[in-house]
Amino acid sequence: MPADLSTPARQALIALMVRAERVSNPDLRRDYRMEITKSAREELSAAKLIVFEKGPRNAIFHELTDLGWARARQEFRSPPPEKVAGAWLLHYATLRHLAGYLDRTDQQAADVFAEPDRGPAPAEGSVEQRLREAYHDLAGNPGDLVPLAAVRQRLAGVDRAEQDRILKDLDRRREIHLDPDPARGELTREAHDAAILIGGEAKHLITIGRA
C-alpha cells in the first residue's frame, strides 16, 4: 500500500480527484472546508502529481496530472492516514467499495469523476439563490450586465450587510462579476446607493455566466 505521501498531500489528491477540474483554494475551502497547503502543494508538485499556477487575484489553481490521477486511484485501496477524523475513515471505506466496483466492471477512476463537481447548490430560499434568480429574471441572456440596483430591489427585506457579504463572497470566488458603470455621470441616485465598494471602487453592475 502506498504511504509515501504526507496526510495533507493524500487528502489534497482526493480533493482534486473529486473536483475533477482546475481549482483554487478559495473554492476548496467553500465546498469541502479544506485547502492545499504550501507544503502539500510543493510535495505533490515535486512528485509530478499536480501542476499549479497563479490565476486571477493571485489565487493558486491546482490540477492533477495523469500521474496524479493514477496515484489518487491507489488511495482507493490504501489504509486511511493515521490520526484523522472519523469522517475520513468513512470516506476511505467508501473508496474501498468503489475500488471493488471499478475492478469488477473494468472501469477507471476518470469514468466516475468525469464531470467537474461544482459544490453544493445554494440552499432553497437562501440569499444566494434569491440573488441568482433575480439576476436571471432581469438578464436577457447569461452574461448580460444588470444594474445592481435592480437586483437589490428583488432582495427587499434582506439586510443590506448580508447582501454585500454574499456579493463580495461570490465575486471573490469568481462566480459573479461586479463592474463599475462606465457612464457614472449619468447614474441615478438609486444606482449610486446600490453600488458596492470592492478594492475602493464602486461597482454598479453585476454579471453571472460570463466566461
Side-chain angles (χ1 to χ4, degrees), residues 7-194:
T7 294
R10 293 174 66 185
Q11 293 173 331
L13 276 181
I14 295 298
L16 291 176
M17 178 180 64
V18 169
R19 188 68 181 200
E21 68 174 351
R22 179 174 173 268
V23 65
S24 68
N25 268 335
D27 293 323
L28 292 173
R29 284 193 295 267
R30 179 197 69 210
D31 296 334
Y32 311 130
R33 298 181 187 177
M34 62 87 65
E35 65 179 34
I36 300 176
T37 63
K38 180 181 179 182
S39 59
R41 179 164 57 247
E42 292 176 346
E43 183 180 356
L44 293 169
S45 177
K48 302 186 185 309
L49 301 178
I50 68 167
V51 291
F52 66 91
E53 62 180 354
K54 280 192 176 181
R57 302 182 186 180
N58 289 322
I60 298 178
F61 286 77
H62 316 77
E63 188 171 13
L64 289 177
T65 63
D66 288 343
L67 188 61
W69 274 96
R71 178 60 182 80
R73 175 65 174 85
Q74 293 179 46
E75 285 294 307
F76 288 29
R77 293 291 191 186
S78 300
E82 296 182 1
K83 300 179 181 179
V84 293
W88 277 96
L89 301 182
L90 291 172
H91 177 72
Y92 270 78
T94 302
L95 289 181
R96 289 193 294 273
H97 282 287
L98 183 56
Y101 173 78
L102 292 178
D103 291 343
R104 290 193 302 274
T105 58
D106 194 27
Q107 296 187 73
Q108 303 299 316
D111 295 324
V112 176
F113 302 103
E115 296 292 331
D117 177 44
R118 304 300 185 183
E124 187 71 25
S126 67
V127 176
E128 179 180 340
Q129 184 193 45
R130 289 182 59 187
L131 186 151
R132 291 178 181 276
E133 289 177 349
Y135 171 84
H136 289 297
D137 286 345
L138 293 163
N141 297 289
D144 284 353
L145 288 169
V146 170
L148 195 52
V151 172
R152 289 196 190 276
Q153 288 179 357
R154 301 291 186 98
L155 298 177
V158 178
D159 181 71
R160 171 65 180 257
E162 178 64 6
Q163 292 183 38
D164 287 355
R165 185 188 69 79
I166 296 295
L167 286 166
K168 289 180 179 179
D169 184 52
L170 291 173
D171 182 67
R172 176 183 59 79
R173 284 151 41 187
R174 294 168 298 283
E175 295 191 22
I176 67 173
H177 296 268
L178 296 168
D179 298 293
D181 194 315
R184 295 186 186 183
E186 303 173 10
L187 291 176
T188 64
R189 173 50 54 188
E190 287 183 344
H192 282 294
D193 291 343

